[in-house]
Amino acid sequence: MRLLKVATCNLNQWAMEFDSNTNQIKHSISKAKQAGAVIRLGPELEISGYGCEDHFLELDTINHSWECLKDILVGDWTDGIVCSIGMPIIKGSERYNCQVLCFNRKIIMIRPKMWLANDGNYRELRWFTAWKQRDQLDDFQLPLHVSQALDQKSVPFGYGFVKFQDTAIAAEVCEELFTPSPPHAELALNGVEVFMNASGSHHQLRKLDVRLRAFIGATHTRGGVYMYSNHQGCDGGRLYYDGCASVVVNGDVVAQGSQFSLNDVEVVVAQIDLDVVASLRGSLSSFQEQASCKVKVPSVDIPYNLCLPFDLRIRLSVPLQIKYHSPEEEIAFGPGCWLWDYLRRSGASGFLLPLSGGADSSSVAAIVGCMCQLVVKEIAKGDEQVKADAIRIGNYKDGQYPTDSREFAKRIFYTVFMGSENSSDMTRSRAKVLADEIGSWHLDVSIDGVVSALLSLFQTLTGKRPRYKVDGGSNVENLSLQNIQARIRMVLAYMLALLLPWVHNKPGFYLVLGSSNVDEGLRGYLTKYDCSSADINPIGSISKQDLRAFLRWAAIHLGYTSLADIEAAPPTAELEPIRSNYSQLDEVDMGMTYEELSVYGRLRKIFRCGPVSMFQNLCYRWGARLTPSQVAEKVKHFFKYYSINRHKMTTLTPSYHAESYSPEDNRFDLRQFLYNTRWPYQFQKIDELVRELDVKDVQESGNHETVAALSNGVGGMGVAAAGSGNPNVGI
């Protein structure tokens, strides 16, 4: 037997925070060594933090990374343990994303990333060059200060692996695992038994199984030990890195770390018999045949044994039941952990949320409540870092600290119901009950006086006073009256966030939380600079359907029972007067359901559909209940309002990224915000397809007279109709 103990990590690094990042790397190495591991794998770019973005273009970032690596290597951290450490490196004139393999206070190899992540949220080609040389290892000259400190002038640099006397190990960096021809396939044929994947992978709802299937598939048919390390937490941006450090052996998961956690350092250890890898490979004829004619990969020889012999005192890791969270749990724990990192690192003293009593703002309140519960639980488990942060943020004195989530929420969370004459007693009551369940400091204020003052000022200036549509006003008047209320709420929220801590003799300021969901952002069903405008938004890329499922879950599992009533209520903005024959409803206002919006969003972003291909896809999907003409009208209606309102995405509150069809403009969904909202060419093509489909239907029914009429444009949806309308509708 060849017994090998390995350790992989979840690290909560912070971009550009070199001191704490280095300390956490050291802490993880210490924990790995204490557990008896001889290999320690850390996440991608762990010294600098993965989310440095354009800071990677600064030489300071490269230089500081070398300084931190030197600090690790001059100590005894790497004595007797192979450490794979991620950092940016410049070679010649190119900048590379690298894993630095260290052992016994020396660098034994530098492995640059060959396939860069460059889609969705990732822009690695903006900052790094992909390594393209595969046939040999270059000789890399270390920076002078590093060379002098380590008494080592150069190191092998490039694509290759490290051969110890009893096994071979290699790095495979993040995106490389998911390429059509991943390096591990070739490396396995060259005898590599341990693959180390350093990653910077963000959370997205329902995504974890894709990642785990990739680990399992990498070793299921070719054998091997697959180690995976990841960041965990908010490192300074919209993403939450969801950890889940894992070890897989021959297709079986034998160790799995947490996906959501407040811990800054988590080390996952596995004890493996490498002979099971050799045994599996030796039993596969196809593996043997392909290995006999493999393309040779360069290697570095290290005269050292990593493995131990047979020892009954050593217990081997066994296959585990993989832990998956439900989407409802992901919505609770992912944004909850992200909010905690943002709060403790921003210097703020808490959050303020405009709580309307509707589904969206109530979801945000529940997520903050979940965050408070997580903090109290981690403190009870003995996490000193969480405890210290909670004491500072909650302004505890005399050795006190949070022991009850409701008491902690009272210290760090304000909720405000900003009612108007259009607000119902039901939503006011729901907001109050939910706030009591969570424990927030709740305020109930009326904005009618401020609205009236603004309207009086407008009347003084113009001699006119706008009216709601139900009272005889125009669409312009109706919209402006709604927007006034919404924007007043934003101004009031920021004023309260700054002044309420002062009123209550608390230090610092509070962050304002937004509460618009991904579907409303996609449709533009929100007022620019209203109460959806905030400092951060934990639900900005979560769909309405997922939020409603979350509310049902949270009513039971978080203990906020009022959420069940909130979820059951029809969505309404309550910005128009309530009359006996009229009540404002979101889906009626939008002209589409939230279910339809989710479909449009996925087709537009995930399947990359323009108007014509979306129409064609929906004809298949909805053809059993809708005619082509009806599908066409729905598609046109969506794209009209999507393009009219796209400009709102440029000022959208920074949101937690959770959904693959997010319309977030800053980095994920890069499209223009000025459109011809009539889409004349595309809508004409849709009309032509509708006429062709109508003609075919009539031909099949044998009605030749109708065929002739349709062919001549009679009774069809003509081009002129699609192209007519107000050309300034998007202004």
Side-chain angles (χ1 to χ4, degrees):
M1 300 185 79
R2 292 176 295 145
L3 303 181
L4 181 73
K5 182 169 278 190
V6 299
T8 183
C9 313
N10 292 332
L11 294 187
N12 193 336
Q13 306 295 75
W14 189 5
M16 302 299 292
E17 185 63 16
F18 291 95
D19 278 339
S20 65
N21 290 353
T22 303
N23 288 335
Q24 290 184 173
I25 292 169
K26 291 178 177 178
H27 187 193
S28 69
I29 296 173
S30 293
K31 293 181 72 171
K33 292 173 74 171
Q34 289 168 10
V38 293
I39 298 177
R40 175 268 180 197
L41 171 65
E44 185 177 14
L45 296 167
E46 59 184 313
I47 291 181
S48 60
Y50 184 83
C52 295
E53 299 192 324
D54 279 3
H55 284 295
F56 285 126
L57 303 178
E58 300 168 3
L59 288 178
D60 281 3
T61 304
I62 311 297
N63 294 334
H64 296 334
S65 296
W66 276 116
E67 291 161 358
C68 294
L69 180 66
K70 180 178 71 175
D71 180 41
I72 294 170
L73 288 172
V74 295
D76 62 358
W77 307 101
T78 61
D79 288 357
I81 185 169
V82 178
C83 293
S84 180
I85 300 174
M87 62 178 279
I89 290 176
I90 290 179
K91 182 180 185 296
S93 58
E94 301 94 43
R95 185 180 289 100
Y96 294 101
N97 174 351
C98 297
Q99 285 301 117
V100 182
L101 277 62
C102 308
F103 183 61
N104 284 345
R105 309 192 190 196
K106 301 290 184 183
I107 301 173
I108 58 177
M109 179 181 170
I110 297 176
R111 165 65 155 84
K113 192 172 182 179
M114 298 189 298
W115 307 111
L116 301 178
N118 206 59
D119 51 17
N121 284 295
Y122 298 102
R123 297 287 181 274
E124 288 185 13
L125 278 171
R126 181 181 175 95
W127 311 302
F128 299 111
T129 301
W131 181 255
K132 302 176 181 67
Q133 308 302 319
R134 299 173 65 92
D135 56 345
Q136 65 181 19
L137 291 168
D138 285 358
D139 194 45
F140 177 78
Q141 299 298 311
L142 293 173
L144 182 60
H145 66 100
V146 177
S147 174
Q148 291 175 340
L150 304 183
D151 192 23
Q152 179 182 6
K153 292 184 178 180
S154 63
V155 60
F157 186 105
Y159 169 57
F161 62 96
V162 180
K163 290 173 63 176
F164 288 87
Q165 290 180 336
D166 49 3
T167 189
I169 67 175
E172 181 172 68
V173 190
C174 196
E175 178 73 10
E176 294 173 352
L177 168 64
F178 302 98
T179 57
S181 180
H184 67 255
E186 183 177 57
L187 290 165
L189 296 176
N190 277 266
V192 172
E193 295 180 308
V194 180
F195 306 98
M196 302 178 293
N197 188 306
S199 186
S201 183
H202 67 275
H203 171 240
Q204 198 165 280
L205 294 178
R206 306 172 180 89
K207 174 186 171 186
L208 180 61
D209 63 322
V210 175
R211 191 189 303 161
L212 283 170
R213 283 202 305 268
F215 308 154
I216 292 168
T219 60
H220 178 70
T221 58
R222 59 182 64 90
V225 176
Y226 206 93
M227 301 170 61
Y228 172 79
S229 177
N230 195 14
H231 294 268
Q232 186 172 60
C234 167
D235 77 343
R238 291 163 171 81
L239 305 182
Y240 177 81
Y241 299 95
D242 59 338
C244 203
S246 306
V247 180
V248 179
V249 180
N250 290 358
D252 291 321
V253 177
V254 299
Q256 180 184 1
S258 65
Q259 188 177 9
F260 308 107
S261 172
L262 301 185
N263 297 330
D264 285 340
V265 178
E266 181 180 358
V267 176
V268 178
V269 179
Q271 180 74 63
I272 301 147
D273 174 18
L274 284 181
D275 280 355
V276 301
V277 176
S279 177
L280 175 62
R281 291 177 175 178
S283 69
L284 300 173
S285 176
S286 58
F287 185 94
Q288 299 291 303
E289 290 298 318
Q290 291 188 357
S292 68
C293 58
K294 62 183 176 292
V295 175
K296 289 190 177 181
V297 176
S299 63
V300 176
D301 291 333
I302 303 296
Y304 189 90
N305 288 320
L306 290 179
C307 301
L308 295 174
F310 172 73
D311 188 337
L312 278 177
R313 293 171 297 178
I314 298 175
R315 302 185 62 181
L316 297 178
S317 300
V318 297
L320 303 175
Q321 181 72 35
I322 299 174
K323 170 64 177 175
Y324 291 111
H325 289 283
S326 68
E328 294 79 13
E329 290 174 320
E330 292 184 276
I331 292 171
F333 301 141
C337 294
W338 182 77
L339 284 177
W340 177 246
D341 279 344
Y342 203 102
L343 177 61
R344 69 191 180 110
R345 289 171 171 171
S346 66
S349 300
F351 298 118
L352 182 139
L353 171 69
L355 181 59
S356 69
D360 293 333
S361 62
S362 296
S363 295
V364 175
I367 289 169
V368 176
C370 178
M371 182 201 78
C372 294
Q373 293 182 18
L374 290 172
V375 168
V376 170
K377 288 177 182 177
E378 287 302 321
I379 293 174
K381 292 178 182 177
D383 192 312
E384 292 300 322
Q385 184 60 59
V386 174
K387 182 178 179 180
D389 288 331
I391 290 172
R392 174 179 54 83
I393 295 168
N395 198 30
Y396 287 91
K397 306 293 184 183
D398 303 322
Q400 293 183 319
Y401 57 87
T403 57
D404 177 77
S405 64
R406 295 184 73 255
E407 185 274 335
F408 185 52
K410 183 72 72 175
R411 288 175 175 262
I412 68 157
F413 190 30
Y414 287 118
T415 51
V416 189
F417 181 84
M418 303 182 196
S420 73
E421 61 182 355
N422 302 320
S423 303
S424 67
D425 292 336
M426 289 300 297
T427 53
R428 175 178 279 105
S429 173
R430 291 183 190 123
K432 177 65 168 63
V433 172
L434 177 59
D436 289 343
E437 289 177 339
I438 293 170
S440 65
W441 191 296
H442 187 67
L443 298 173
D444 188 331
V445 300
S446 172
I447 64 172
D448 288 332
V450 185
V451 173
S452 179
L454 284 172
L455 292 177
S456 296
L457 174 61
F458 179 81
Q459 189 171 12
T460 300
L461 290 171
T462 66
K464 292 187 176 183
R465 194 177 184 94
R467 295 177 296 168
Y468 288 102
K469 193 172 183 179
V470 294
D471 296 327
S474 65
N475 285 330
V476 171
E477 294 171 77
N478 195 62
L479 185 60
S480 67
L481 287 171
Q482 294 182 69
N483 289 349
I484 288 170
Q485 297 169 73
R487 289 183 172 127
I488 284 172
R489 286 171 173 148
M490 181 200 71
V491 174
L492 181 59
Y494 274 99
M495 183 181 74
L496 293 174
L498 284 171
L499 292 179
L500 281 178
W502 168 72
V503 170
H504 293 140
N505 296 314
K506 296 180 179 180
F509 62 97
Y510 276 42
L511 294 166
V512 178
L513 296 180
S515 57
S516 59
N517 63 62
V518 69
D519 297 324
E520 290 170 349
L522 177 66
R523 164 61 171 74
Y525 186 65
L526 52 93
T527 302
K528 204 173 186 179
Y529 306 117
D530 71 345
C531 59
S532 65
S533 299
D535 293 309
I536 50 175
N537 180 2
I539 66 166
S541 70
I542 302 176
S543 73
K544 190 78 163 189
Q545 290 178 294
D546 281 336
L547 287 174
R548 298 190 75 160
F550 163 70
L551 290 175
R552 294 191 294 270
W553 176 89
I556 299 170
H557 294 89
L558 296 182
Y560 307 142
T561 57
S562 64
L563 293 176
D565 291 335
I566 292 170
E567 188 278 327
T572 173
E574 290 195 334
L575 293 171
E576 296 183 68
I578 299 173
R579 297 287 188 266
S580 59
N581 62 346
Y582 178 76
S583 180
Q584 186 179 23
L585 296 173
D586 288 354
E587 292 183 329
V588 175
D589 273 1
M590 292 190 299
M592 60 192 73
T593 67
Y594 282 107
E595 182 180 1
E596 289 172 341
L597 260 175
S598 288
V599 174
Y600 298 145
R602 288 183 166 84
L603 287 173
R604 182 197 70 98
K605 178 65 178 177
I606 301 174
F607 295 95
R608 296 165 288 279
C609 288
V612 175
S613 54
M614 184 181 291
F615 163 75
Q616 292 170 323
N617 274 275
L618 289 177
C619 280
Y620 284 109
R621 183 176 298 206
W622 293 344
R625 60 183 179 88
L626 296 175
T627 66
S629 295
Q630 291 171 322
V631 173
E633 287 306 310
K634 285 182 175 291
V635 171
K636 290 179 185 178
H637 186 70
F638 164 71
F639 272 100
K640 172 185 174 181
Y641 284 97
Y642 158 76
S643 55
I644 286 174
N645 292 305
R646 178 65 188 179
H647 65 94
K648 296 178 182 179
M649 295 302 95
T650 64
T651 60
L652 198 67
T653 295
S655 302
Y656 177 99
H657 178 86
E659 181 56 77
S660 55
Y661 71 89
S662 169
E664 188 267 316
D665 177 83
N666 178 268
R667 63 179 294 153
F668 185 70
D669 187 35
L670 306 181
R671 302 167 194 245
Q672 81 249 37
F673 55 88
L674 178 62
Y675 285 88
N676 183 339
T677 60
R678 292 175 296 166
W679 298 80
Y681 186 87
Q682 294 90 335
F683 286 3
Q684 177 181 336
K685 289 292 182 182
I686 291 176
D687 291 340
E688 291 172 359
L689 288 170
V690 169
R691 286 199 299 274
E692 290 174 7
L693 291 170
D694 286 344
V695 168
K696 289 179 180 177
D697 286 344
V698 173
Q699 285 176 332
E700 291 174 0
S701 65
N703 191 336
H704 300 292
E705 292 180 3
T706 309
V707 170
L710 286 170
S711 299
N712 292 323
V714 180
M717 293 169 47
V719 174
S724 63
N726 181 3
N728 298 317
V729 72
I731 296 176

